Structures are given as structure tokens and as C-alpha cells.
Amino acid sequence: MPYEPEQFNGLLTVRRVPDLLITDCVFDGAPEAAVALWECDDAKIMSNRISNSRVAFYSYAGRGIMFFENVLEEPVEFGVYSHFA
């Protein structure tokens, strides 16, 4: 685990990673989505800060994903957008 929060100013994309954990990150300035998950079953996305993003979290065809203790700051239009295949 990093000593300081990891900072991103773009999209973090993950595909087919089971039991993924994304925690203690700062996402600032991703134009469409801060975190995009494709087929990531049982992922845990927690304690992150998201700002200046249209969608905080995008999920496609993932099962059992948990989003908790995340802070969404203005402007964010959608917290979680999920699409099931």
C-alpha cells in the first residue's frame, strides 16, 4: 500500500481481473470516467476521491462489485454506471 494516495488525472481501465482492489486513490480530471471495469468480478473499490469526471465508476458485465467509502466531488454527473451483458 502506498504511503500517499496515488493520483491519476486520466482513466484507469481494468479488464478481467477477479478480486480487484482499488483503494486510497485520487482521480482528478478524467473526462469521461475515472475508473472503468470490464468483466471484473468481486472487485472492491473503496476510499477513493473522484472529481472533474463525468462518471466516477463504470462497470461492464462485472458481478459482485462493491463501491464504498468513496468521495465524489463536483462536478461528477454519475456515481456508478453499470452495464450488464
Side-chain angles (χ1 to χ4, degrees):
M1 179 128 9
Y3 294 107
E4 297 291 328
E6 291 295 325
Q7 296 189 15
F8 301 90
N9 64 354
L11 168 66
L12 175 64
T13 305
V14 183
R15 183 171 185 248
R16 292 187 180 168
V17 177
D19 301 313
L20 173 71
L21 174 63
I22 298 175
T23 185
D24 297 320
C25 296
V26 175
F27 298 90
D28 183 16
E32 290 301 318
V35 177
L37 309 174
W38 274 266
E39 301 172 353
C40 292
D41 292 338
D42 301 314
K44 291 176 184 61
I45 315 303
M46 58 184 267
S47 302
N48 299 289
R49 194 176 83 221
I50 288 86
S51 61
N52 297 312
S53 201
R54 184 168 181 263
V55 177
F57 306 108
Y58 173 82
S59 173
Y60 176 81
R63 307 280 187 233
I65 298 173
M66 295 176 33
F67 300 96
F68 57 98
E69 297 181 356
N70 297 290
V71 176
L72 307 182
E73 299 175 352
E74 295 286 335
V76 172
E77 289 183 44
F78 301 101
V80 176
Y81 182 90
S82 292
H83 178 79
F84 294 97

